[in-house]
Amino acid sequence: MTKRKIILLSINILLILIIIGQNIFSSKGKIKEITTKENPTKIIIENHSEKITILKNNNTWELENNLPLQNDLCNYIAKTSTSLKIIDTVSKTNSEEEIKKYGFDNPIVVTALSDNKIIQQLIIGKPASNNNQSYVKLNNKKEIYLVSGNLNSLFEITSKELLDMTLYSLDINKIYKIEISKFEKSNKTQNEPLEKNITIEKSGEISNYDWKIISSTEKFNYENFNSQKFQDWLNNILELSTEKWIDDFNSIEPIINGTPEIKIVIGSGGKDIIINLYKNNDNIICLCSENEHPCLISEIDWNKFNINFNEFIK
């Protein structure tokens, strides 16, 4: 064999080896995405602090006790539990050594269900050395996958962190009416609280409006009503959040079945939002029609609603 043929043969062998190496690297570096056909309506998260069950009710998520949850966060959890990007298969054995090596001796278990049928189960081991990757087993099979995303951080969430504490958030441009009622007990009629109320409506064009008193139990000149003072007060109550949701409904049922100290009706976007406030010792109980689950609000928020009608007068 001539020297030239030996050189050409060596080059061909080298090219073949390069092509084989590229194919191996390409197949290992290819990300495979697994997605379930169905969307979950129930997700059970068993992490290292608690077991959480979240349920989808129409388009909103809630806990089993009906407490509302953050929809965007729950939708992300639902998507992550049913759609995975697999980077590599790191093990195909179920040995005790491999289980410990990848953290499956103390895993997080996430079960996604649709109509109470399991559609996918993630068994999550320890985080990978790259914090944006995780080790996962699917549906209790022996294969261990390296997947994209820090699943450990996401699914170590607590039920408290999932809660939506917002009662309402309003756009002042959509508000067209406010009715404020305050109930005070009279010495003569202990069982019939006296009501003081005022109803105020928006008047004028959308770009150029003011507020006017429509009716009130109080005796003052309506012409002296200060529209700007009222709007300043209204700006302070456009959003309301709870400090704590009340789980034990029975303990407060006698209170919320009675007359509230303050009742606010806000006409906004074609519907009425009703806020009933009850004083119970040092606690302020709130029932809002946007959620209808009793909760506690702060003293600061109470003071915002507990307005003296005379403050709206010039």
Side-chain angles (χ1 to χ4, degrees), residues 249-265:
F249 184 83
N250 293 330
S251 66
I252 62 161
E253 191 171 7
I255 299 169
I256 61 178
N257 283 340
T259 304
E261 273 75 13
I262 300 173
K263 179 180 179 180
I264 310 281
V265 180

Side-chain angles (χ1 to χ4, degrees), residues 12-261:
N12 287 334
I13 293 172
L14 182 60
L15 288 172
I16 290 169
L17 290 174
I18 289 171
I19 291 169
I20 291 172
Q22 285 178 334
N23 288 336
I24 293 172
F25 180 79
S26 175
S27 64
K28 287 197 72 176
K30 189 176 181 181
I31 293 176
K32 179 182 178 182
E33 188 164 353
I34 295 178
T35 304
T36 61
K37 293 181 180 179
E38 299 172 86
N39 295 320
T41 55
K42 178 179 180 180
I43 300 172
I44 303 170
I45 303 170
E46 299 171 80
N47 58 36
H48 297 119
S49 59
E50 61 181 315
K51 180 178 178 180
I52 308 166
T53 299
I54 66 174
L55 306 168
K56 193 167 190 180
N57 184 6
N58 294 322
N59 292 319
T60 61
W61 290 90
E62 57 189 33
L63 292 176
E64 288 181 297
N65 58 3
N66 301 123
L67 290 181
L69 302 176
Q70 299 176 58
N71 269 333
D72 289 345
L73 178 55
C74 289
N75 284 333
Y76 180 65
I77 285 173
K79 183 179 179 181
T80 304
S81 66
T82 54
S83 181
L84 290 177
K85 291 181 179 179
I86 296 176
I87 299 170
D88 196 9
T89 303
V90 297
S91 176
K92 292 185 178 181
T93 69
N94 213 14
S95 68
E96 186 176 341
E97 181 183 352
E98 294 288 86
I99 288 172
K100 287 184 177 180
K101 178 181 177 181
Y102 295 106
F104 291 99
D105 51 339
N106 187 26
I108 298 170
V109 180
V110 180
T111 307
L113 304 95
S114 177
D115 296 326
N116 284 321
K117 180 185 72 176
I118 296 175
I119 55 175
Q120 185 149 276
Q121 186 176 68
L122 311 182
I123 302 172
I124 304 167
K126 68 179 184 180
S129 54
N130 179 340
N131 285 330
N132 200 34
Q133 296 173 352
S134 309
Y135 295 114
V136 172
K137 294 172 73 174
L138 288 176
N139 305 315
N140 213 23
K141 294 181 179 178
K142 64 182 181 179
E143 289 85 2
I144 298 173
Y145 300 109
L146 177 67
V147 302
S148 177
N150 190 338
L151 304 191
N152 300 78
S153 177
L154 175 62
F155 291 111
E156 278 291 10
I157 198 163
T158 65
S159 54
K160 187 175 181 180
E161 291 169 332
L162 281 170
L163 287 174
D164 185 357
M165 310 302 279
T166 303
L167 294 175
Y168 68 78
S169 180
L170 302 176
D171 180 350
I172 197 167
N173 294 314
K174 294 182 179 180
I175 297 174
Y176 52 85
K177 179 191 72 174
I178 301 281
E179 182 181 339
I180 310 167
S181 300
K182 300 176 74 174
F183 300 90
E184 299 176 358
K185 284 198 173 182
S186 163
N187 292 329
K188 295 180 180 179
T189 56
Q190 287 291 335
N191 295 323
E192 297 180 10
L194 295 176
E195 179 182 356
K196 297 179 180 180
N197 65 59
I198 187 170
T199 301
I200 299 165
E201 289 187 357
K202 187 180 283 183
S203 174
E205 301 296 325
I206 295 176
S207 58
N208 183 25
Y209 65 84
D210 60 3
W211 298 92
K212 291 185 177 180
I213 297 176
I214 301 303
S215 64
S216 177
T217 56
E218 302 307 286
K219 295 179 180 180
F220 43 66
N221 190 338
Y222 289 9
E223 297 300 320
N224 291 331
F225 176 71
N226 190 316
S227 178
Q228 187 58 52
K229 284 185 178 180
F230 173 76
Q231 175 132 334
D232 291 342
W233 171 80
L234 185 56
N235 283 328
N236 282 327
I237 65 161
L238 290 177
E239 295 183 358
L240 181 63
S241 296
T242 176
E243 288 192 324
K244 181 183 179 182
W245 294 104
I246 299 174
D247 294 327
D248 186 6
F249 184 83
N250 293 330
S251 66
I252 62 161
E253 191 171 7
I255 299 169
I256 61 178
N257 283 340
T259 304
E261 273 75 13

